[in-house]
C-alpha cells in the first residue's frame, strides 16, 4: 500500500492546492508541508523496502501482467526519496528566491505534478504507463519552463518542446513495438518474453530504439543539445530541480531496460552506448567550459555526468550498476546544491555572469565552503561523495578492460574541476571593487542554509560511504536479478 | 494488410518529420499534430489483421472473434495526450509570436534580444 | 601507539575546521591558538618513533571504513612514515612559529590561513602514515586541495589565482592518473592493504600491465614533485606568502612524490623500467632545474628551481638504487629540508624587511642584519656542499652512489646520472655564492634603505634552529648512524651495519676530488657570470612551459565553444535533424546488416494474399492528403489537408474495428481544428499568403527531405518487421475473455480504459489539466512587480543574463 503514496499525495496536493487555497501564504504553507510529508513518506517507503523487501501493488486489484503494476524495489525507492528530497529543498529555496507577492500561483501545483510524473516513472512496472508518466512529467516541465520565463527567453522553450514531442512520438512507437513483439507491456512479462527471443536481431533493434528514445531524455550525445540552453531560463529553484532530476529519469530507464528487461547479451548495444556515453561526458564537459555564466556551466555539466552514469551501465556488472546508482544519487544532490549556490550568487552579486561576480570568499565564507565542498565533490575529489562513484566506475571499467574509456573518464574529471575552478575563481576569489556584494538582501542567508543542508547530505555520503554503497549494491543486484523481479511481479505465472 | 499499414505509418512519419524540419511555425505545428497520428497508426497496426474480426464490444458481437482491445484503449489515451500536448505547443507558438513578432523558427533564432542590442 | 597516531593526524584535521570559528576576530593572535597542534603531533610522532622497533613495519588497524572497496583506516608505521611524519610535523612547528612573526596585521583572514595550514599538515601526516593505498591516495588529494587554498591565499592577486590554478590542475590531473594506478595495482593484488601491496609480486602480472601501473604511479609522483615536464607549476606556486612556500615547497608537499617513490620502491624496483624511468626523469629534472635556478633572478624562483632540481635528484636516487635497497636516502632528504626550509624563511625575512624580491636589486644586508647573514651563509654553504655543513656529508655519499651506478649501470648509460649531477652541483654551488654575496656583501644599491625596517629577532629563530641542525650534523656526522639505524625500513633501505660510523673525512678519494673540482668550477662559473654582470632576462619563457599552460587554460573555453558550434550544439534548428539522423543511421544501419528480418522475398506474395481494397484505398487517400500539407502554399489549405488526414484516419480506425477510437478521433480532430482556427487567425496576414521554404536553402531542404525519407523508411521497416514477428499470445485476449465477468462491462475497450488500466486514464486527465494550466501560464504572462524591478537585474524571471549568448544561428 505504501507504494501509492508517492503518487497520491502529489496529485491530491496539486488538485487541492488549485481548488481550495486562495491566499499565497496559505498555499506556501500547504505545499511545503506536503513536500515535507512526501519526503518522510518516501523515507518510510525506502526503509520498509530495505527491511522487508520490495513491494508490489496491483492497481485496481488486476493481476499482472493485465493491469498496471507499481513496483517499489530498492532502486525505485531510492529514486523516489531523491525526488522528494530535491523537490522539498527546491520548494523551500523558491520561497526565498521569489517573494511571496511575485510567486506565480501555478508554480507550486505544477511542481507537484512534476513530482507525480517523476515518481510514477520510477515506480511503474508497465511500459505504456511509463509513457503516460513521462507525458505528465514533460507537460509539467514545459509548463514550469515557460511559466515565469522572460518574454524573450521563452523562445528557448521551442526547441525543448519540439525535441520532446518528437521523442514522445517515438516512445509511443516503442510501446507499440513492444506490444507487437512481446504481446505485453508489463516489464516483468516483457522480460520473460524477451528472454525467449534472446539473440534475435529484432530484439536488438528494439533495444537500440529504446536506448535512443530514452537517450533523448537522459541527454545522450548527440541527442542532448536541447538541454543546456533551456534550463538557464528558469528561476534557480526550478533549474535546480530540473537539473537534478529530469535527466536521471532517462538514466534510470536505461538501467531498468538493460538490467531487468532485456536479456544480458546485447553486446552491440553496450558498445554503442559506451562510446556515446564517452562522447557525452567529454563534449558535455567541454561545453561547460565554454559557458561564461554559472547556470550555463552547470546545465552543460549535467550531461557530462549523465555520460559517466551511462558508461557504468554498459559494463553490466552489479558493481558497475552500483557505481552508476551511487554516482546518480550523489549527482542529484550535489548538482541541485550547486544550482542553489548559483542562485545565492545571483542574489549577492546581482548576476551570475562570471566576469561581473566576485568578492564572495571574503564576504560570505560559509557559502564559499558550501560551494567548495559541492564543487570538489562534483569533480570527484576524495573523500567527498563524488569520489566513490567515480572510483567504482573506474574500477568497473578496468575490470571490463576498457582502458580508453576510463582514460576519457579521467580527463573528463579534470575538465570538470577546471570549470568548477572557473566559478570558484570568478565568483569567490576574484576581488573587484566594482562588484557589489549585497548582503543587505537577506535572502542569501536562508538560501545558504538550504545549500548547507544539501552539502551536509553530500558530506555524509562522502564520509560514510559504506552504508550507501551497500544500498547501491542491493539496488544494483535487484536491477540485474531478472528472475527475482519476474517472480516478484508475476508470481508463479509462467 | 501489414504492408499497407506499416507503409502508411512510415509515410506519415516521413511527411511529419519533413514538416517539422521546416521554418514556418504553422508547418511545424502541423508536423507535430501529424506525427502523433502517425505514432497512433503504428500502434493500431499491432492489432494485426482485422478482417473477419468484430469490434471488441461483447454485447453486440458475443461469440465472434474480436479485435484486440488493448491497443485500442492505449491509442485512445495517446490521442487525448497528443491533443493536450499539441494544444500546449500551439499556445507556445502563439506566445512566441506575440513576443518576437515572427512566425518563422529560422527567423526566431536569428534575431537577437532587444536588450542585447 | 594507534591512539597517538590518530590524535596526531586527526586532531589538526578537526582543529582546521574549528579554528576559523574560534579564531574569528582574533587577528594575528590566532597563531597562538593554532601553535599547539603541530607541537602535539610532533611530540606524539616522536614518541611513536621511540616505541617503534627498527627495521619492522607495524600496521595499526584503526577502523573499518569502506570494506566493500577494500578501504580501511590503517596506519602503517615504519622508518619511512616516521621519518616523513617527523619532518612534516617538525618543520610544521617551525613554520607556525615563523608565520606568527611573518603574517603581520597587513594580512587579513589569519584564522583561515592557520586553518588551511592545519588541514594541510593533517593531510600530509595522513599520507605519510596511510597504511592502505586508497587511504594514502585520499590524503594525497587532500594535500593538493589544501595547498591550493594556501597558494591562493592572496586570491585577490592575479598571480595568486593563476599560480593556485596551475598547482591544482597539475596535481589533480597527475593525482587522477595515480588513482588509475592505485585502482589497477589493487585489483591485481586483490587488496589495497599496504601489507599486501608491499608484498606484491609484479612479475606474476602481465608485463605490459605492470609497466603501465609503474608509469601511472610515476606520473603521480612526477606531478606532485614538479618533475619535467610538470616542472612549471612549482615556481608559479610561489605567489603564496613565504611561510607557505617554505612549508609546501621546501619541506613537505613536493616531497610527496619522493615519498611515493620510496613507498612503492619495494614493489617496482625490480622492474626493468624502474631505473630508466625514475633516474632518467629525475636526473634530467636535476639538470634542468639547476640551470633554470642559475638563470633566474627572483629570489623565490631561484629557490623553487633548486627545489625542483633536488627533488629530481632524490627521485633519480631511488631510480639508481640497487633493488636490495637505497642507501642513506633519509639523510639526504633531511639535509635538503633543513637548508631549503631555512633559505625560504630567509627570503621571506628579506622580502618582509625590504619589500624587494629580485636579487639584482639587493646588497649590503650584512651590515643591517648580521644574524640573517650568518644563517644564510651556513644554509647556502650546505646547498653548495661545503665541508662542515650537512650538505657536504650528503654530497659525498651521493657521489659514492653515483660512481657505484656508473660501474654497474642498469637501464640507462652509467655516466648519465653522474655527469648530470656534477653539472647541476656546479650550477647550484655557483648560485649559492651569488645568493650570499649579492644579498649580503656587495655594496648596497639604492632603494634598499627606502623601505627597510628591521624584522625583529623572533622571526630569525625558526631558521636558526634549522641552521643549528645543519651545522651540528655537518660537524658531527656520527649522529646520522643511530638516526638512520632507527629509521631502517624493510624493502626500502639497504641493511646497515650497526657498527658503521659516518665520518667527515674519508681520506682523499674520488668523491672528495670530484667535490672539490665542483666547487672550483662553481667559482669559475660565478666569476664568469659576474663578468657579464648577470645580465640576462632570466630563462626563455617557453622553456618554463607555464605560458603554454596558461595559454591552454585561456584557450580552452574558446576552443570548447568552437567545438560546440562545430557539433551544432548552438544551433537550435539542427537539434531535431541530428536526432532524426541518429535514429536513422543507427536503426537503418542495423536493418541493412540484418535484412533477413524483413523476409523481402515473400513481400509480394504476402501483399497479394492480404490484399484488401478499402484498406488500400483509404491509405492512399491519407497519403495524398498528407502530401497536400507539404505542397499547399496557404495555411488555410494546409489546415484543410491536415483535417482531411485526421478524418480519414477515423475511417481507418473503423476498418480496424475500433469504433471507440473513431469516435474519439473525430472529437479530438474537431477540437484541434477549432483551436488552430482560433489562434492562427490571429497570426499576421503575411502567413496567409504562405511562406513555404522561404528561409530555407535548397541544400538544407534536400537534406530535410533525405532525413524525412530516412525516418519514414525506418519506421516502416521496423513496423513491418515487428508485424512479421508478431507475438500471437498477447494479453489483449485476457480482456476479451474477462471483461464481462470481472469488469462487468461489455465493451472491452471501455473496461480497459476505466477499469483494467484506469490509472492511465486518471493520469491522462491530469495531463489535460496540466496542459490547460500551462497554457494559462503562457498567455497570462508573468509580470514582475514594480518592487522587484527596483531590486535591480535580479528577479524571478529575467536575470539580465541571457540563456543563449550565441545569438547567431544558421
Amino acid at each position: 500500500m505504501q507504494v501509492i503514496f508517492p503518487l497520491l499525495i502529489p496529485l491530491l496536493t496539486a488538485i487541492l492546492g488549485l481548488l481550495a487555497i486562495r491566499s499565497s501564504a496559505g498555499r506556501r504553507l500547504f505545499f511545503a508541508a506536503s513536500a515535507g510529508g512526501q519526503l518522510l513518506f518516501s523515507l518510510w517507503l525506502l526503509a520498509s523496502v530495505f527491511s522487508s523487501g520490495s513491494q508490489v501493488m496491483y492497481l485496481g486489484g488486476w493481476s499482472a501482467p493485465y493491469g498496471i503494476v507499481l513496483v517499489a524495489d530498492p532502486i525505485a525507492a531510492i529514486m523516489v526519496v531523491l525526488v522528494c528530497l530535491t523537490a522539498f529543498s527546491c520548494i523551500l529555496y523558491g520561497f526565498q528566491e521569489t517573494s511571496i507577492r511575485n510567486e506565480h500561483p501555478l508554480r507550486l501545483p505544477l511542481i507537484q505534478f512534476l513530482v507525480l510524473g517523476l515518481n510514477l516513472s520510477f515506480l511503474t512496472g508497465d511500459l505504456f504507463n511509463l509513457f503516460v508518466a513521462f507525458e505528465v512529467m514533460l507537460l509539467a516541465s514545459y509548463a514550469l519552463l515557460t511559466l515565469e520565463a522572460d518574454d524573450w527567453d521563452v523562445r528557448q522553450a521551442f526547441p525543448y518542446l519540439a525535441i520532446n514531442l518528437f521523442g514522445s512520438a517515438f516512445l509511443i512507437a516503442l510501446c507499440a513495438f513492444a506490444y507487437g513483439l512481446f504481446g505485453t507491456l508489463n516489464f516483468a512479462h516483457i522480460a520473460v518474453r524477451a528472454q525467449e527471443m534472446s539473440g534475435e536481431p529484432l530484439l536488438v533493434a528494439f533495444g537500440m530504439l529504446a536506448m535512443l528514445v530514452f537517450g533523448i531524455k537522459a541527454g545522450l550525445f548527440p541527442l542532448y543539445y536541447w538541454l543546456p540552453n533551456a534550463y538557464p531560463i528558469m528561476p534557480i529553484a526550478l533549474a535546480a530541480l530540473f537539473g537534478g532530476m529530469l535527466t536521471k529519469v532517462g538514466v534510470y530507464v536505461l538501467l531498468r531496460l538493460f538490467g531487468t528487461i532485456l536479456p544480458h547479451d546485447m553486446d552491440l548495444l553496450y558498445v554503442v552506448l559506451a562510446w556515446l556515453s564517452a562522447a557525452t561526458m567529454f563534449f558535455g564537459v567541454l561545453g561547460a567550459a565554454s559557458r561564461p555564466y554559472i547556470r550555463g556551466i552547470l546545465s552543460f555539466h549535467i550531461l557530462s555526468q549523465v555520460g559517466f552514469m551511462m558508461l557504468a551501465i554498459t559494463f553490466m556488472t552489479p558493481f558497475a550498476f552500483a557505481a552508476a546508482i551511487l554516482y546518480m544519487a550523489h549527482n542529484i544532490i550535489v548538482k541541485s546544491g550547486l544550482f542553489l549556490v548559483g542562485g545565492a550568487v545571483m542574489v549577492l552579486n546581482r548576476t551570475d555572469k562570471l566576469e561581473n561576480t566576485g568578492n564572495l570568499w571574503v564576504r560570505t565564507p560559509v557559502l564559499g565552503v558550501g560551494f567548495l565542498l559541492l564543487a570538489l565533490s562534483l569533480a570527484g575529489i576524495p573523500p567527498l561523495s563524488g569520489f566513490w562513484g567515480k572510483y567504482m566506475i573506474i574500477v568497473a571499467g578496468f575490470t571490463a578492460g576498457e582502458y580508453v574509456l576510463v582514460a576519457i573518464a579521467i580527463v573528463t574529471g579534470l575538465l570538470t574541476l577546471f570549470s568548477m575552478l572557473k566559478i570558484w575563481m570568478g565568483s569567490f576569489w576574484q576581488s573587484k571593487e566594482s562588484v557589489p556584494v549585497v548582503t543587505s538582501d537577506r535572502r542569501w542567508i536562508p538560501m545558504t542554509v538550504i545549500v548547507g543542508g544539501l552539502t551536509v547530505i553530500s558530506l555524509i555520503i562522502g564520509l560514510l560511504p559504506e552504508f550507501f554503497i551497500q544500498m547501491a549494491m542491493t539496488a544494483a543486484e535487484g536491477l540485474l536479478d531478472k528472475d527475482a523481479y519476474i517472480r516478484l511481479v508475476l508470481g508463479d505465472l509462467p | 494488410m501489414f504492408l499497407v499499414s506499416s507503409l502508411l505509418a512510415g509515410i506519415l512519419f516521413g511527411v511529419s518529420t519533413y514538416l517539422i524540419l521546416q521554418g514556418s511555425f504553422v508547418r511545424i505545428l502541423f508536423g507535430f499534430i501529424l506525427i502523433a497520428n502517425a505514432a497512433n497508426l503504428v500502434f493500431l497496426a499491432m492489432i494485426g489483421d482485422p478482417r473477419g474480426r468484430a469490434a471488441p464490444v461483447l454485447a453486440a458481437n458475443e461469440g465472434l472473434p474480436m479485435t484486440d482491445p488493448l491497443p485500442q484503449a492505449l491509442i485512445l489515451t495517446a490521442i487525448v495526450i497528443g491533443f493536450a500536448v499539441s494544444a500546449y505547443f500551439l499556445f507556445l507558438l502563439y506566445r512566441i509570436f506575440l513576443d518576437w513578432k515572427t512566425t518563422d523558427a529560422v527567423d526566431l533564432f536569428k534575431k537577437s534580444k532587444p536588450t542585447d542590442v | 601507539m594507534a591512539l597517538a597516531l590518530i590524535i596526531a593526524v586527526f586532531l589538526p584535521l578537526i582543529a582546521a575546521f574549528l579554528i576559523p570559528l574560534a579564531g574569528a576576530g582574533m587577528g594575528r593572535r590566532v597563531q597562538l591558538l593554532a601553535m599547539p597542534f603541530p607541537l602535539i603531533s610532533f611530540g606524539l610522532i616522536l614518541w611513536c618513533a621511540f616505541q617503534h622497533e627498527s627495521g619492522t613495519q607495524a600496521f595499526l588497524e584503526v577502523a573499518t571504513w569502506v570494506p566493500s572497496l577494500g578501504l580501511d583506516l590503517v596506519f602503517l608505521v615504519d622508518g619511512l612514515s616516521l621519518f616523513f611524519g617527523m619532518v612534516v610535523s617538525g618543520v610544521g612547528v617551525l613554520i607556525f612559529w615563523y608565520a606568527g612573526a611573518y603574517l603581520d596585521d597587513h594580512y587579513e583572514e589569519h584564522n583561515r590561513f592557520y586553518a588551511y595550514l592545519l588541514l594541510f599538515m593533517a593531510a600530509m601526516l595522513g599520507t605519510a602514515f596511510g597504511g592502505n593505498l586508497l587511504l594514502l591516495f585520499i590524503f594525497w588529494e587532500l594535500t593538493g586541495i589544501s595547498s591550493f587554498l594556501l597558494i591562493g591565499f592572496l586570491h585577490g592577486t592575479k598571480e595568486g589565482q593563476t599560480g593556485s590554478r596551475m598547482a591544482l590542475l597539475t596535481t589533480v590531473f597527475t593525482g587522477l592518473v595515480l588513482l588509475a594506478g592505485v585502482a589497477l595495482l589493487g585489483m591485481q593484488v586483490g587488496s589495497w592493504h599496504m601489507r599486501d601491496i608491499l608484498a606484491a609480486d609484479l612479475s606474476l602480472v602481465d608485463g605490459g600491465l605492470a609497466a603501465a601501473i609503474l608509469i601511472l604511479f610515476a606520473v603521480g609522483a612526477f606531478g606532485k614533485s614538479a618533475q619535467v615536464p610538470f616542472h612549471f607549476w612549482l615556481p608559479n606556486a610561489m605567489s603564496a606568502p613565504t611561510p607557505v612556500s617554505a612549508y609546501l615547497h621546501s619541506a613537505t608537499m613536493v616531497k610527496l612524490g619522493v615519498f611515493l617513490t620510496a613507498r612503492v620502491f619495494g614493489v617496482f624496483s625490480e622492474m626493468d623500467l624502474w631505473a630508466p624511468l625514475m633516474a632518467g626523469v629525475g636526473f634530467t629534472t636535476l639538470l634542468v632545474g639547476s640551470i633554470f635556478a642559475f638563470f633566474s633572478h627572483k629570489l623565490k624562483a631561484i629557490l623553487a628551481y633548486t627545489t625542483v632540481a633536488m627533488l629530481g635528484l632524490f627521485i633519480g636516487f631511488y631510480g639508481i638504487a640497487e633493488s636490495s635497497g637505497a642507501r642513506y636516502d633519509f639523510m639526504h632528504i633531511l639535509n635538503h629540508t633543513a637548508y631549503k626550509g631555512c633559505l625560504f624563511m630567509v627570503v621571506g625575512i628579506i622580502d618582509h624587511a625590504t619589500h624587494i624580491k629580485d636579487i639584482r636589486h639587493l646588497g649590503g644586508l650584512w651590515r643591517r642584519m648580521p644574524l640573517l647573514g650568518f644563517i644564510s651563509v651556513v644554509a647556502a654553504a650546505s646547498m653548495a656542499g661545503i665541508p662542515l655543513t650537512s650538505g657536504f656529508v650528503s654530497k659525498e655519499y651521493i657521489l659514492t652512489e653515483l660512481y657505484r651506478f656508473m660501474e654497474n649501470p642498469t637501464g640507462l648509460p652509467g655516466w648519465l646520472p653522474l655527469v648530470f649531477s656534477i653539472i647541476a652541483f656546479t650550477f647550484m654551488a655557483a648560485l649559492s655564492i651569488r645568493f650570499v654575496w649579492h644579498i649580503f656583501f656587495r655594496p648596497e644599491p639604492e632603494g634598499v634603505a627606502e623601505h627597510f625596517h628591521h624584522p625583529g629577532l623572533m622571526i630569525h629563530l625558526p631558521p636558526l634552529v634549522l641552521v643549528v641542525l645543519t651545522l651540528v650534523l655537518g660537524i658531527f656526522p656520527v649522529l646520522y648512524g643511530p638516526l638512520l639505524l632507527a629509521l631502517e625500513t624493510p624493502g626500502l633501505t639497504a641493511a646497515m651495519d650497526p657498527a658503521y660510523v659516518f665520518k667527515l673525512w674519508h681520506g682523499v678519494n674520488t668523491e672528495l676530488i670530484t667535490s672539490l673540482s665542483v666547487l672550483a668550477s662553481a667559482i669559475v662559473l660565478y666569476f664568469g657570470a659576474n663578468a657579464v654582470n648577470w645580465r640576462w632576462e632570466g630563462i626563455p619563457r617557453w622553456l618554463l612551459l607555464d605560458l603554454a599552460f596558461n595559454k591552454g587554460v585561456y584557450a580552452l573555453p574558446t576552443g570548447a565553444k568552437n567545438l560546440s558550434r562545430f557539433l551544432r550544439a548552438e544551433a537550435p534548428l539542427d537539434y531535431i535533424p541530428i536526432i532524426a539522423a541518429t535514429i536513422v543511421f543507427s536503426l537503418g544501419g542495423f536493418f541493412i546488416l540484418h535484412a533477413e528480418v524483413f523476409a523481402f522475398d515473400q513481400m509480394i506474395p504476402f501483399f497479394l494474399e492480404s490484399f484488401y481494397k478499402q484498406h488500400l484505398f483509404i491509405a492512399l487517400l491519407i497519403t495524398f492528403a498528407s502530401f497536400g500539407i507539404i505542397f499547399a502554399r496557404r495555411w488555410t489549405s494546409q489546415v484543410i489537408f491536415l483535417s482531411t488526414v485526421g478524418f480519414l484516419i477515423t475511417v481507418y480506425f473503423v476498418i480496424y474495428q475500433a469504433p471507440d477510437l473513431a469516435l474519439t478521433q473525430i472529437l479530438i480532430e474537431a477540437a484541434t481544428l477549432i483551436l488552430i482556427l482560433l489562434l492562427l487567425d490571429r497570426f499576421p496576414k503575411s502567413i496567409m499568403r504562405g511562406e513555404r521554404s522561404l528561409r530555407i536553402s535548397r541544400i538544407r531542404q534536400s537534406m530535410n527531405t533525405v532525413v524525412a525519407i530516412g525516418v519514414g523508411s525506418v519506421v516502416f521497416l521496423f513496423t513491418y518487421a515487428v508485424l512479421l514477428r508478431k507475438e500471437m499470445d498477447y494479453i489483449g485476449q485476457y480482456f476479451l475473455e474477462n471483461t464481462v465477468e470481472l469488469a462487468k462491462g461489455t465493451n472491452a475497450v471501455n473496461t480497459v480504459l476505466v477499469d483494467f488500466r484506469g490509472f492511465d486514464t486518471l493520469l491522462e486527465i491530469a495531463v489535460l489539466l496540466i496542459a490547460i494550466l500551462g497554457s494559462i501560464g503562457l498567455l497570462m504572462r508573468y509580470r514582475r512587480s514594480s518592487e522587484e524591478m527596483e531590486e535591480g537585474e535580479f528577479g524571478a524571471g529575467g536575470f539580465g543574463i541571457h540563456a543563449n549568448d550565441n545569438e547567431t544561428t544558421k
Side-chain angles (χ1 to χ4, degrees), chain C residues 14-126:
Chain C
I14 295 164
F17 290 95
L18 297 180
I19 287 266
L21 304 176
M26 281 177 69
R28 61 188 299 185
R29 279 167 302 151
V30 185
Q31 187 232 1
L32 299 175
L33 210 60
M35 192 68 206
F37 296 103
L39 269 173
I40 293 172
S41 296
F42 182 65
L44 287 171
I45 293 171
L46 205 62
W47 179 78
C48 288
F50 281 108
Q51 300 288 308
H52 176 69
E53 190 184 333
S54 167
T56 61
Q57 281 180 320
F59 292 92
L60 308 174
E61 317 275 346
V62 176
T64 55
W65 189 9
V66 197
S68 47
L69 298 182
L71 167 59
D72 292 313
L73 216 53
V74 184
F75 285 132
L76 162 56
V77 181
D78 62 1
L80 179 65
S81 56
L82 284 171
F83 172 71
F84 268 90
M86 282 189 291
V87 167
V88 168
S89 52
V91 178
V93 172
L94 298 178
I95 293 290
F96 275 76
W97 185 2
Y98 177 78
Y102 184 90
L103 287 188
D104 50 23
D105 297 326
H106 296 306
Y107 289 85
E108 284 165 3
E109 303 173 351
H110 287 83
N111 52 346
R112 291 186 206 174
F113 180 81
Y114 290 104
Y116 302 157
L117 267 187
L118 282 171
L119 184 65
F120 174 76
M121 192 181 81
M124 287 296 303
L125 292 176

Side-chain angles (χ1 to χ4, degrees), chain A residues 7 18 59 62 65-68 97-99 101-102 104 106 110 113 120 126 128-129 132 136 139-140 143 146-148 150-151 155-156 159 162-163 177 179-184 193 197 200-202 204-206 208-209 212 216 222-223 225 229 233 235 268 283 286 289-291 293 295 319 346-347 350-353 361-362 365 376 381-382 387-388 390-392 395 398-399 410 414-415 417-418 421 424-425 429-431 443 463 465-466 469, chain C residues 65-69 71 109 112 116 134 137-138 141 145 148-149 152 155-156 161 164-165 168-169 172-173 176 179-180 183-184 187 192 553 556-557 560-561 563-564 567-570 572 575-576 578-580 582-583 586-587 590-591 594 596-597 711 718-719 721-722 725-727 729-732 734-735 742 755-757 759-760 763 767 769-770 773-774 777-778 781-785 787-788 791 793-794 796-799 801-805 807:
Chain A
L7 309 176
L18 278 171
L59 286 173
W62 300 109
Y66 307 111
I68 294 170
E97 186 188 12
T98 316
S99 66
R101 280 192 296 148
N102 287 313
H104 199 294
L106 291 179
L110 283 172
F113 278 121
L120 181 60
D126 184 282
F128 191 80
N129 196 240
V132 179
V136 171
L139 256 170
T146 50
L147 194 61
E148 291 162 89
D150 186 276
D151 285 355
R155 68 171 174 183
Q156 295 299 344
I163 281 162
F177 295 150
Y179 189 67
L181 280 177
F182 311 117
T184 183
R193 297 267 167 95
M197 285 179 69
E200 279 189 44
L202 214 48
V204 182
F206 176 78
M208 192 177 274
L209 183 64
L212 294 173
I216 297 176
L223 317 172
Y225 297 165
N229 288 331
I233 72 172
L268 175 72
F283 292 131
L286 279 180
S290 76
R291 287 292 192 265
Y293 59 105
R295 284 172 303 172
F319 187 79
M346 286 163 74
V347 167
R350 295 300 186 209
T351 175
D352 73 345
K353 216 168 196 161
W361 184 232
V362 179
L376 292 177
I381 300 291
F387 170 71
W388 306 108
K390 189 178 83 171
Y391 174 70
M392 286 169 76
V395 170
F398 281 142
T399 315
I410 285 178
L414 180 75
L415 290 172
L417 183 69
F418 174 83
L421 211 54
W424 174 253
M425 296 273 177
W429 269 8
Q430 176 164 259
S431 69
R443 285 183 294 174
L463 294 178
E466 181 62 22
I469 292 176
Chain C
W65 189 9
V66 197
S68 47
L69 298 182
L71 167 59
E109 303 173 351
R112 291 186 206 174
Y116 302 157
L134 275 170
F137 174 78
I138 288 170
E141 288 289 80
I145 299 301
F148 165 71
L149 292 170
H155 50 75
Q161 289 201 6
S164 54
R165 175 168 53 205
L168 184 70
L169 288 178
V172 166
F173 171 66
L176 284 170
L179 176 64
L184 273 178
M187 284 163 72
W192 280 267
V553 165
L556 188 61
K561 191 164 207 162
L563 180 73
S564 282
L567 293 170
R568 310 298 296 160
E570 314 288 356
Y575 298 169
I576 292 186
I578 289 172
I579 291 176
T582 312
I583 293 175
S586 38
L587 282 178
F590 188 77
F591 285 148
H594 294 276
E596 77 271 9
V597 294
V711 168
F718 210 144
T719 316
V722 169
R725 175 64 183 80
K726 187 167 158 41
E727 170 69 49
D729 178 17
Y730 47 85
I731 54 171
Y734 171 89
F735 302 114
L742 295 178
D755 200 340
F756 291 106
R757 296 181 67 98
F759 192 58
D760 275 348
L763 291 173
V767 168
L769 179 62
I770 303 169
L773 293 180
L778 269 176
R781 219 176 280 226
Y782 178 71
R783 288 280 178 224
R784 274 174 277 160
S785 70
E787 169 215 50
E788 206 168 342
E791 282 172 11
E793 277 189 299
F794 184 79
F799 295 92
I801 301 146
H802 314 310
N804 187 348
D805 281 38
E807 297 299 342

Side-chain angles (χ1 to χ4, degrees), chain B residues 17-97:
Chain B
T17 307
Y18 183 83
L19 288 171
I20 289 167
L21 299 184
Q22 301 302 305
S24 154
F25 280 0
V26 179
R27 280 164 183 270
I28 294 174
L29 173 69
F30 290 178
F32 280 120
I33 293 174
L34 196 59
I35 207 169
N37 278 318
N40 292 342
L41 278 187
V42 174
F43 221 135
L44 191 72
M46 295 305 148
I47 289 180
D49 196 338
R51 283 173 304 169
R53 287 171 182 268
V57 183
L58 280 95
N61 303 320
E62 188 72 59
L64 297 171
M66 280 175 277
T67 49
D68 188 348
L70 185 61
Q72 300 189 22
L74 302 184
I75 293 168
L76 210 152
T77 309
I79 290 176
V80 177
I81 290 178
F83 167 69
V85 177
S86 308
Y88 181 80
F89 190 61
L90 176 59
F91 280 111
L92 176 74
L93 292 179
Y94 181 58
R95 164 79 186 270
I96 291 178
F97 160 67

Side-chain angles (χ1 to χ4, degrees), chain A residues 373-455:
Chain A
L373 288 173
L374 291 172
L376 292 177
S377 174
L378 193 75
I381 300 291
L384 300 169
S385 58
F387 170 71
W388 306 108
K390 189 178 83 171
Y391 174 70
M392 286 169 76
I393 292 174
I394 290 177
V395 170
F398 281 142
T399 315
E402 297 288 356
Y403 298 106
V404 182
L405 291 171
V406 173
I408 295 175
I410 285 178
V411 172
T412 304
L414 180 75
L415 290 172
T416 308
L417 183 69
F418 174 83
S419 44
M420 286 300 117
L421 211 54
K422 203 164 135 176
I423 299 179
W424 174 253
M425 296 273 177
S427 298
F428 290 91
W429 269 8
Q430 176 164 259
S431 69
K432 265 192 179 173
E433 300 229 335
S434 58
V435 174
V437 180
V438 193
T439 39
S440 58
D441 188 338
R442 309 306 284 178
R443 285 183 294 174
W444 76 273
I445 298 171
M447 283 177 167
T448 309
V449 171
I450 296 168
V451 170
L454 290 175
T455 313

Side-chain angles (χ1 to χ4, degrees), chain C residues 334 420 438 500 553 559 587 625:
Chain C
L334 177 66
F420 278 20
H438 283 220
Y500 181 78
V553 165
L587 282 178

Side-chain angles (χ1 to χ4, degrees), chain A residues 113-451:
Chain A
F113 278 121
L114 185 72
V115 169
L116 165 69
L118 286 165
N119 282 345
L120 181 60
S121 310
F122 296 126
L123 288 173
T124 187
D126 184 282
L127 188 58
F128 191 80
N129 196 240
L130 180 72
F131 161 73
V132 179
F134 263 66
E135 290 303 320
V136 171
M137 177 186 90
L138 286 173
L139 256 170
S141 77
Y142 306 151
L144 283 171
L145 185 72
T146 50
L147 194 61
E148 291 162 89
D150 186 276
D151 285 355
W152 306 106
D153 277 339
V154 84
R155 68 171 174 183
Q156 295 299 344
F158 171 74
Y160 180 83
L161 235 81
I163 281 162
N164 281 308
L165 286 180
F166 193 68
S168 290
F170 278 93
L171 184 50
I172 297 180
L174 188 79
C175 293
F177 295 150
Y179 189 67
L181 280 177
F182 311 117
T184 183
L185 290 165
N186 181 284
F187 285 162
H189 204 196
I190 294 179
V192 175
R193 297 267 167 95
Q195 197 64 48
E196 292 160 6
M197 285 179 69
S198 171
E200 279 189 44
L202 214 48
L203 191 63
V204 182
F206 176 78
M208 192 177 274
L209 183 64
M211 186 180 93
L212 294 173
V213 167
F214 295 113
I216 297 176
K217 317 283 177 190
L220 187 67
F221 177 84
L223 317 172
Y224 66 60
Y225 297 165
W226 54 273
L227 191 150
N229 288 331
Y231 285 8
I233 72 172
M234 280 180 284
I236 281 284
L238 294 176
L241 181 59
F242 278 46
M245 287 312 307
L246 287 203
T247 50
K248 310 304 184 294
V249 185
V251 178
Y252 159 80
V253 175
L254 287 178
L255 275 168
R256 179 68 81 198
L257 187 76
F258 284 123
T260 315
I261 298 177
L262 293 177
H264 291 176
D265 58 356
M266 320 278 264
D267 293 332
L268 175 72
L269 289 187
Y270 306 149
V271 173
V272 172
L273 184 60
W275 286 98
L276 286 181
S277 317
T280 309
M281 62 169 103
F282 190 68
F283 292 131
V285 79
L286 279 180
S290 76
R291 287 292 192 265
Y293 59 105
I294 297 178
R295 284 172 303 172
I297 294 177
L298 293 176
S299 300
F300 239 125
H301 254 298
I302 296 170
L303 302 164
S304 174
Q305 281 119 25
V306 162
F308 252 91
M309 298 164 209
M310 288 192 294
L311 178 63
I313 296 176
T314 63
F315 300 138
M316 291 300 291
T317 58
F319 187 79
F321 266 49
I325 294 165
L326 187 68
Y327 195 84
M328 178 151 65
H330 134 81
N331 193 249
I332 289 169
I333 293 165
V334 167
K335 180 59 74 177
S336 305
L338 282 170
F339 265 105
L340 299 185
V341 174
V345 171
M346 286 163 74
V347 167
L348 288 163
N349 283 156
R350 295 300 186 209
T351 175
D352 73 345
K353 216 168 196 161
L354 287 176
E355 55 185 89
N356 298 326
T357 59
N359 301 338
L360 294 182
W361 184 232
V362 179
R363 300 289 301 277
T364 56
V366 179
L367 185 66
V369 171
F371 174 80
L372 196 63
L373 288 173
L374 291 172
L376 292 177
S377 174
L378 193 75
I381 300 291
L384 300 169
S385 58
F387 170 71
W388 306 108
K390 189 178 83 171
Y391 174 70
M392 286 169 76
I393 292 174
I394 290 177
V395 170
F398 281 142
T399 315
E402 297 288 356
Y403 298 106
V404 182
L405 291 171
V406 173
I408 295 175
I410 285 178
V411 172
T412 304
L414 180 75
L415 290 172
T416 308
L417 183 69
F418 174 83
S419 44
M420 286 300 117
L421 211 54
K422 203 164 135 176
I423 299 179
W424 174 253
M425 296 273 177
S427 298
F428 290 91
W429 269 8
Q430 176 164 259
S431 69
K432 265 192 179 173
E433 300 229 335
S434 58
V435 174
V437 180
V438 193
T439 39
S440 58
D441 188 338
R442 309 306 284 178
R443 285 183 294 174
W444 76 273
I445 298 171
M447 283 177 167
T448 309
V449 171
I450 296 168
V451 170

